[in-house]
Structures are given as C-alpha cells and as structure tokens.
C-alpha cells in the first residue's frame, strides 16, 4: 500500500513534465521563426532633416535599422579614436 502512495505522485509528476520536452523543441523553432519574422517587420520613423521643421518619413525593416545603427556607432567610434591635430605650435 505504501508503494501506491509513492508511485502515484511520481508517475503523475513524470506525465506532467514529459510534454514539456516536446514543447521546448517546438518553442525553440517558433522562437527562431518569430525572430526571423521580427527582423522582416517594417518600421517607419519620422526624421527631421537639419534646417527644416518638416519631418520626413523613413521606412526600413528591423534588420536594416539594426545595420544603420551599427554603422552609425562604428562611424562615431572612428571619429572619437581618430588622431587629433595639434595646432598649439602657432
């Protein structure tokens, strides 16, 4: 009788956790698919060119915006790291 009390909860716990392994693999596949769909999502931003109050609507995919941001960061880092010209000699 004691074995029934010990085996029952253990069997129930195993049955509850078994579907989670199958779902984890499916969730990983869905996550990659969702990430790919997210990268192809179109995002529009309003940019105001210098010298005007009127904004311009610019649309790119998320992946393109990420590339633009990364390039801007590389350009800024290059400007900061560039050697300085010393004009103090007169």
């Amino acid at each position: 009788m004691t074995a029934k009390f010990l085996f029952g909860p253990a069997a129930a716990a195993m049955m509850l956790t078994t579907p989670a392994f199958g779902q984890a693999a499916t969730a990983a596949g869905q996550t990659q698919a969702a990430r790919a769909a997210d990268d192809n999502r179109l995002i529009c931003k309003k940019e105001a060119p210098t010298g005007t109050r009127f904004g311009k609507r610019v649309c790119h995919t998320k992946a393109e915006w990420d590339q633009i941001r990364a390039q801007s960061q590389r350009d800024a880092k290059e400007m900061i790291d560039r050697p300085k010209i010393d004009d103090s000699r007169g």
Side-chain angles (χ1 to χ4, degrees), residues 5-70:
F5 289 118
L6 295 177
F7 183 71
M14 286 175 56
M15 285 191 277
L16 291 175
T17 57
T18 302
F21 293 117
Q23 289 175 354
T26 305
Q30 289 175 350
T31 302
Q32 291 174 350
R35 193 175 305 130
D38 189 44
D39 284 347
N40 291 328
R41 169 174 59 108
L42 191 64
I43 299 172
C44 295
K45 296 181 180 182
K46 187 174 181 181
E47 295 181 350
T50 303
T52 182
R53 295 182 299 164
F54 301 108
K56 179 180 173 185
R57 187 174 181 197
V58 180
C59 298
H60 293 286
T61 64
K62 182 181 180 309
E64 290 171 337
W65 282 117
D66 290 342
Q67 289 176 347
I68 291 168
R69 181 181 42 80

Side-chain angles (χ1 to χ4, degrees), residues 65-78:
W65 282 117
D66 290 342
Q67 289 176 347
I68 291 168
R69 181 181 42 80
Q71 183 63 46
S72 295
Q73 288 176 344
R74 282 191 299 270
D75 292 345
K77 183 170 176 29
E78 183 182 320

